[in-house]
């Protein structure tokens, strides 16, 4: 009888131990749709065609970066499956692709979808579905508002943050400026315009001309002619690559010599300034938060050594002078950091929690002094820039790192 009792006690203990072990195992690993012991499914939407197709290389870079991560064993033993679709920079197409990624492909999150119009179109849907819309490739202010959209987070500096930096530069270097502005007629252009006006404050009255264009327009030459006629001595171009290159060419063709400020998204040496002609781009000002992949000053930089080694092995056809190539690398590296922090808790909720808990994270490609910081109330990961001016065949950095002031607490 005693031996039978001992046996029963032993059996109960064994069952209890098993229950505790399995409970511990369950506590260790939590998955939502799109994550398993072996895989993390990530969705992406890019304009591989259409008026913003110059940005398509970002998606290709991210795909190559995740291949490198998989070759290194993945993230916490899990391989990344990267599913990327073309939306042609069309909001209705972006909605269609987002639904396909969430409902058919069953991805864990949508990472780095590009463009203000496309992200605006899918934001409410993804937030209603509680699917992370993480590190969107646009600086529109609406993608850093955690109270209203807790499942959406930006990555690059907010457009208003960037244009406030230009305002600070103008106030310091050309206080009597007569300013003409060309901007894209969407949230990107309007955000840039608002930031500049806010930054200029009382001096916003020095804006003597402003004109907008539609992305469907084949050429913006008529807008440039109109703005030159205003008599402005500062030209601010809040444009995307195709139109930025057109503006640079036309300003040069007209013999107009204003102080020329070009928004970061259209300031790439490889995809904008070279096609526009380096001779036409001399003296152009912009602001940067990332290193120029083609600038020899970074040849001995530890981070850029890793970047160049990556390009040589995984993306040999990519143009290191294209700012979008540097962008895709830094953005992908930031997502990998979030996934590493998430550990075995790969729920959508924890992905957003970790994305909102980045502390002084420095991707290989950011300028010295620029760091990524987020919190539950700060969904603007990068909020620092430095003025740069194009000379010869590259940009030269000027002055200190400037904080745009869009971050929360």
């Amino acid at each position: 009888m005693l031996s039978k009792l001992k046996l029963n006690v032993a059996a109960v203990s064994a069952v209890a131990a098993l229950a505790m072990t399995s409970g511990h195992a369950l506590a260790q690993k939590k998955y939502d749709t799109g994550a398993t012991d072996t895989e993390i499914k990530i969705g992406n939407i890019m304009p591989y065609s259409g008026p913003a197709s110059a940005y398509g290389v970002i998606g290709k870079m991210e795909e190559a970066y995740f291949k490198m991560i998989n070759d290194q064993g993945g993230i916490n033993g899990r391989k990344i499956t990267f599913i990327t679709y073309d939306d042609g920079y069309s909001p209705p197409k972006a909605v269609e692709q987002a639904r396909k990624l969430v409902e058919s492909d069953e991805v864990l999150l949508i990472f780095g979808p590009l463009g203000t119009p496309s992200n605006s179109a899918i934001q409410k849907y993804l937030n209603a579905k509680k699917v992370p819309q993480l590190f969107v490739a646009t600086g529109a202010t609406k993608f850093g508002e955690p109270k209203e959209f807790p499942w959406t987070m930006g990555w690059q500096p907010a457009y208003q943050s960037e244009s406030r930096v230009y305002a600070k530069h103008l106030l310091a270097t050309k206080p009597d400026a007569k300013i003409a502005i060309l901007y894209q007629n969407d949230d990107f252009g309007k955000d840039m315009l608002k930031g500049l006006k806010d930054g200029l404050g009382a001096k916003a009255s020095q804006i003597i001309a402003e004109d907008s264009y539609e992305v469907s327009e084949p050429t913006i030459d008529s807008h440039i002619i109109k703005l030159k006629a205003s008599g402005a001595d500062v030209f601010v171009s809040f444009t995307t690559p195709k139109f930025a290159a057109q503006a640079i060419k036309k300003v040069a063709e007209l013999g107009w010599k204003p102080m020329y400020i070009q928004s970061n998204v259209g300031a790439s040496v490889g995809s904008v300034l070279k096609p526009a002609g380096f001779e036409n781009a001399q003296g152009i000002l912009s602001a940067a938060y990332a290193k120029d992949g083609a600038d020899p000053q970074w040849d001995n930089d530890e981070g850029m050594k890793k970047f160049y080694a990556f390009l040589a092995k995984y993306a040999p056809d990519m143009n290191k002078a294209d700012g979008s190539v540097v962008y895709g690398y830094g953005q992908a590296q930031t997502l990998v950091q979030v996934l590493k922090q998430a550990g075995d808790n790969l729920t959508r909720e924890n992905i957003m929690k970790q994305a909102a808990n980045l502390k002084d994270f420095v991707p290989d490609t950011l300028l010295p002094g620029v760091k990524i910081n987020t919190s539950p109330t700060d969904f603007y990961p990068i909020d620092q820039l430095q003025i740069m001016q194009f000379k010869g065949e590259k940009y030269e950095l000027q002055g200190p790192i400037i904080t745009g002031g869009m971050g929360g607490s």
Side-chain angles (χ1 to χ4, degrees):
M1 186 72 178
L2 192 61
S3 61
K4 199 172 181 181
L5 189 63
K6 280 182 179 172
L7 195 64
N8 284 344
V9 169
V12 169
S13 300
V15 169
L18 185 66
M20 280 175 68
T21 307
S22 59
H24 184 58
L26 286 171
Q28 275 189 318
K29 294 184 180 182
K30 286 185 182 175
Y31 299 128
D32 273 344
T33 302
T36 67
D37 280 352
T38 57
E39 181 187 39
I40 302 170
K41 262 196 225 179
I42 295 168
N44 172 260
I45 303 167
M46 276 283 144
Y48 292 111
S49 62
S53 59
Y55 293 129
V57 297
I58 294 174
K60 291 172 185 171
M61 274 296 287
E62 289 163 351
E63 193 164 27
Y65 192 88
F66 296 138
K67 185 179 187 312
M68 176 186 76
I69 294 297
N70 287 344
D71 286 352
Q72 292 170 357
I75 299 169
N76 299 319
R78 299 174 184 88
K79 299 291 177 76
I80 292 174
T81 299
F82 185 62
I83 305 166
T84 179
Y85 292 136
D86 180 22
D87 71 349
Y89 206 60
S90 157
K93 187 70 175 173
V95 171
E96 184 187 318
Q97 304 293 38
R99 286 185 179 277
K100 187 176 173 186
L101 287 165
V102 172
E103 295 166 28
S104 301
D105 298 310
E106 298 188 319
V107 297
L108 177 64
L109 63 119
I110 291 184
F111 158 68
L114 189 135
T116 302
S118 293
N119 276 289
S120 298
I122 64 177
Q123 187 174 21
K124 282 182 180 171
Y125 167 74
L126 292 175
N127 275 262
K129 288 281 188 183
K130 298 185 176 179
V131 174
Q133 181 184 10
L134 191 54
F135 302 145
V136 298
T138 155
T141 312
K142 66 165 82 169
F143 304 118
E145 297 175 345
K147 282 183 183 172
E148 198 174 347
F149 296 107
W151 298 91
T152 303
M153 184 182 285
W155 185 72
Q156 69 202 57
Y159 296 135
Q160 289 187 36
S161 192
E162 179 187 342
S163 52
R164 285 180 189 184
V165 167
Y166 299 134
K168 287 178 182 179
H169 183 74
L170 280 170
L171 291 171
T173 61
K174 204 169 175 69
D176 299 322
K178 289 181 286 182
I179 305 163
I181 303 169
L182 177 67
Y183 66 97
Q184 191 162 294
N185 190 26
D186 61 8
D187 287 341
F188 152 61
K190 290 170 186 174
D191 257 13
M192 295 292 301
L193 185 64
K194 182 182 187 306
L196 187 73
K197 287 179 176 177
D198 288 351
L200 288 171
K203 293 278 187 119
S205 59
Q206 292 175 197
I207 298 170
I208 61 169
E210 55 185 75
D211 202 9
S212 66
Y213 69 90
E214 306 296 330
V215 293
S216 55
E217 291 182 44
T219 172
I220 54 170
D221 285 4
S222 61
H223 298 284
I224 303 295
I225 292 166
K226 180 179 166 186
L227 291 169
K228 177 184 184 285
S230 71
D233 56 11
V234 173
F235 174 56
V236 182
S237 175
F238 293 147
T239 50
T240 48
K242 173 186 168 184
F243 303 104
Q246 286 184 8
I248 292 165
K249 280 183 183 174
K250 193 63 184 176
V251 165
E253 187 187 304
L254 293 172
W256 188 17
K257 303 279 186 189
M259 175 191 274
Y260 196 133
I261 293 173
Q262 171 62 51
S263 56
N264 177 278
V265 296
S268 167
V269 174
S271 65
V272 177
L273 304 193
K274 192 172 184 182
F278 284 156
E279 69 282 3
N280 299 326
Q282 296 304 307
I284 283 179
L285 296 162
S286 190
Y289 55 94
K291 298 161 190 163
D292 177 352
D295 191 335
Q297 76 166 303
W298 305 117
D299 284 354
N300 293 313
D301 177 86
E302 288 308 313
M304 292 304 273
K305 281 182 186 175
K306 292 177 194 171
F307 170 73
Y308 296 135
F310 161 80
L311 284 185
K313 185 171 181 183
Y314 288 94
D317 298 332
M318 287 291 179
N319 176 10
K320 66 182 182 179
D322 185 346
S324 291
V325 171
V326 174
Y327 184 102
Y329 179 100
Q331 198 182 31
Q333 194 173 27
T334 310
L335 180 66
V336 167
Q337 176 65 23
V338 168
L339 295 172
K340 282 178 180 173
Q341 285 181 202
D344 289 331
N345 181 357
L346 289 170
T347 58
R348 288 164 171 165
E349 188 178 357
N350 192 45
I351 295 294
M352 289 308 299
K353 184 181 175 184
Q354 297 308 321
N357 189 35
L358 291 166
K359 304 297 177 201
D360 289 338
F361 176 64
V362 183
D364 295 331
T365 46
L366 292 193
L367 286 176
V370 177
K371 297 174 181 178
I372 289 180
N373 281 287
T374 55
S375 76
T377 57
D378 179 4
F379 273 30
Y380 298 110
I382 304 173
D383 191 37
Q384 298 165 301
L385 298 112
Q386 190 170 10
I387 293 289
M388 60 183 182
Q389 185 169 36
F390 192 70
K391 294 180 181 178
E393 296 189 359
K394 64 187 181 73
Y395 283 106
E396 291 182 7
L397 295 164
Q398 298 183 348
I401 296 284
I402 304 170
T403 298
M406 289 299 291
S409 55

